[in-house]
Amino acid sequence: MGVVQKVREARGPSAVALPGSLKKSAGDRLVGTAVDDRALQDEPGYRENLIGQFSSVTPENAMKWAVLEPERGRVDWKGADRLVDFADEHGQAVRGHTLVWFGQNPGWVDALKGDELRQVVREHIRTTMERYGRRVGIWDVVNEPFEDDGKRRQSVFQRELGDGWVEDAFRTARVADADAKLYLNEIGAEAPGPKSDALFALVKQLQAGGVPIDGVGFQAHFTRDGVPDGFRANLERFAALGLDVAITEADVALKLPAGRAALRKQARTFRDTVETCLAIPRCRSITFWGFTDRHSWIPATQPGRGTATLLDEELRPKPAYRSVLKALRRR
Ligand code: XIL
């Protein structure tokens, strides 16, 4: 009694008619986007585009450990439930993102040691996966385990548990869900080089040890420099291991203000990204890290850069949107 459910105000621009549907043009590949939980709640235009354009959704932050369990034992599933309910309602796949990552962990996890940490990580994987069961078919089990030089990143997991934490996470995930696609996701490993080589060696080692891994995700956070040389060949060598690959977080950050030439160059980079995936039969999905400049992580994390997505802040299509649509239709 007396508790008034706050009615959320509808905000944001209305959706404008787009010249097509990305998801309908993509054949049997999934086209996805990261979803901003606030926009999902407050912005009808945003929701309309999500429904019309995408066959897959990834919670941008709502399934990160710091959001799910800010204090030990106080678990808050609201945002994650909202995303999964929405996806169910609209027949979309969900990429669960992400179970074990150095970033966005609650302070209490970062403070754990040794065996206790190991048990807590296992429990976190189990409870999160079991809550959603078949409703989440793909999981980024491990995210960003490497530094750019190919050394393991010094996360709490690496420091306390040693190299074996990656294997342990995949084995735990398989026990929690026998059918889910289990992914290893990495940033900045698109081109051949120390990081990508380390990732490749790790995948081979996991496979040799019988560790259940189904796919490798390449985030594809690009800039005006375009897609790196060797992108396609690099994805192909992973696919040749008998795995699926995926583009999991594509965006193209530009220096602000971005002029027409920069936006055209951006469109080509998005096109190349999509075409690279389409050229590889085992590349199953292309996910963008947000689809409108209203909600993109770039301005907050890379000051002076932005306009990194397909639609502008008013949900109008940029050249990038048109080039992605065209590339999908040419498939
Ligand atoms: C980012 C989100 O977009 C931001 O909102 C948040 O503040 C930080 O994390 N690689 C990943 C994503 O795997 O989870 C990150 O998302 C971007 C880089």
Side-chain angles (χ1 to χ4, degrees):
M1 275 290 287
V3 179
V4 178
Q5 173 83 50
K6 205 171 159 219
V7 177
R8 297 188 76 106
E9 211 181 306
R11 289 170 208 267
S14 306
V16 304
L18 294 170
S21 163
L22 302 179
K23 70 174 183 187
K24 289 186 184 153
S25 308
D28 65 347
R29 323 272 179 137
L30 295 172
V31 184
T33 180
V35 175
D36 178 283
D37 183 49
R38 285 199 82 92
L40 182 66
Q41 295 176 75
D42 299 347
E43 299 188 12
Y46 180 94
R47 273 201 298 273
E48 197 177 320
N49 281 326
L50 270 181
I51 298 165
Q53 298 292 319
F54 299 100
S55 47
S56 170
V57 288
T58 304
E60 183 173 0
N61 290 300
M63 281 186 187
K64 289 171 179 172
W65 204 342
V67 175
L68 291 181
E69 197 177 2
E71 290 159 43
R72 192 165 185 177
R74 184 167 72 75
V75 186
D76 178 359
W77 300 105
K78 279 197 296 296
D81 285 357
R82 200 155 29 232
L83 188 275
V84 176
D85 289 347
F86 182 89
D88 265 0
E89 196 180 324
H90 301 104
Q92 293 160 317
V94 179
R95 289 191 71 89
H97 177 82
T98 172
L99 294 167
V100 198
W101 180 36
F102 78 93
Q104 288 175 279
N105 287 317
W108 65 269
V109 168
D110 277 328
L112 294 174
K113 304 255 175 270
D115 265 350
E116 188 182 12
L117 178 65
R118 193 187 328 274
Q119 294 312 325
V120 165
V121 170
R122 287 179 182 164
E123 192 56 29
H124 170 65
I125 294 172
R126 274 195 292 267
T127 49
T128 310
M129 291 182 76
E130 283 171 4
R131 179 172 184 86
Y132 297 109
R134 297 219 164 146
R135 304 172 73 207
V136 176
I138 310 162
W139 286 94
D140 287 335
V141 176
V142 165
N143 194 28
E144 302 180 347
F146 290 107
E147 301 279 2
D148 287 343
D149 64 4
K151 294 204 183 71
R152 286 295 187 95
R153 202 188 274 273
Q154 276 310 308
S155 60
V156 65
F157 314 110
Q158 187 66 31
R159 191 185 69 230
E160 291 296 316
L161 309 175
D163 285 354
W165 69 269
V166 172
E167 163 170 355
D168 201 63
F170 278 96
R171 290 194 191 277
T172 305
R174 179 53 78 227
V175 174
D177 187 333
D179 302 317
K181 294 277 187 203
L182 306 180
Y183 271 71
L184 175 57
N185 197 45
E186 186 56 280
I187 187 170
E190 290 78 19
K195 196 178 211 175
S196 168
D197 290 350
L199 191 68
F200 190 71
L202 172 59
V203 172
K204 283 210 296 198
Q205 186 200 320
L206 294 174
Q207 289 182 316
V211 179
I213 173 170
D214 300 298
V216 178
F218 295 85
Q219 294 186 11
H221 292 293
F222 293 139
T223 65
R224 199 182 167 167
D225 296 341
V227 309
D229 289 343
F231 183 35
R232 176 168 169 185
N234 192 42
L235 265 59
E236 280 171 338
R237 75 170 166 159
F238 282 85
L241 295 176
L243 293 156
D244 288 341
V245 295
I247 307 288
T248 53
E249 307 187 9
D251 58 10
V252 181
L254 299 179
K255 277 209 194 82
L256 298 175
R260 282 172 49 197
L263 291 168
R264 278 201 303 273
K265 178 78 203 296
Q266 175 185 57
R268 290 197 290 276
T269 304
F270 273 113
R271 176 201 65 197
D272 292 347
T273 304
V274 169
E275 284 181 346
T276 299
C277 184
L278 294 177
I280 302 171
R282 298 276 328 230
C283 187
R284 303 312 309 157
S285 63
I286 304 160
T287 292
F288 301 95
W289 207 241
F291 64 88
T292 161
D293 293 341
R294 296 178 71 73
H295 303 289
S296 159
W297 72 309
I298 296 297
T301 47
Q302 299 180 33
R305 291 182 188 234
T307 191
T309 75
L310 304 180
L311 307 183
D312 71 12
E313 299 196 0
E314 300 304 315
L315 305 178
R316 290 175 302 224
K318 292 158 61 184
Y321 174 87
R322 295 176 199 282
S323 73
V324 165
L325 183 65
K326 222 163 119 190
L328 291 170
R329 284 180 168 164
R330 259 200 310 271
R331 142 191 73 85

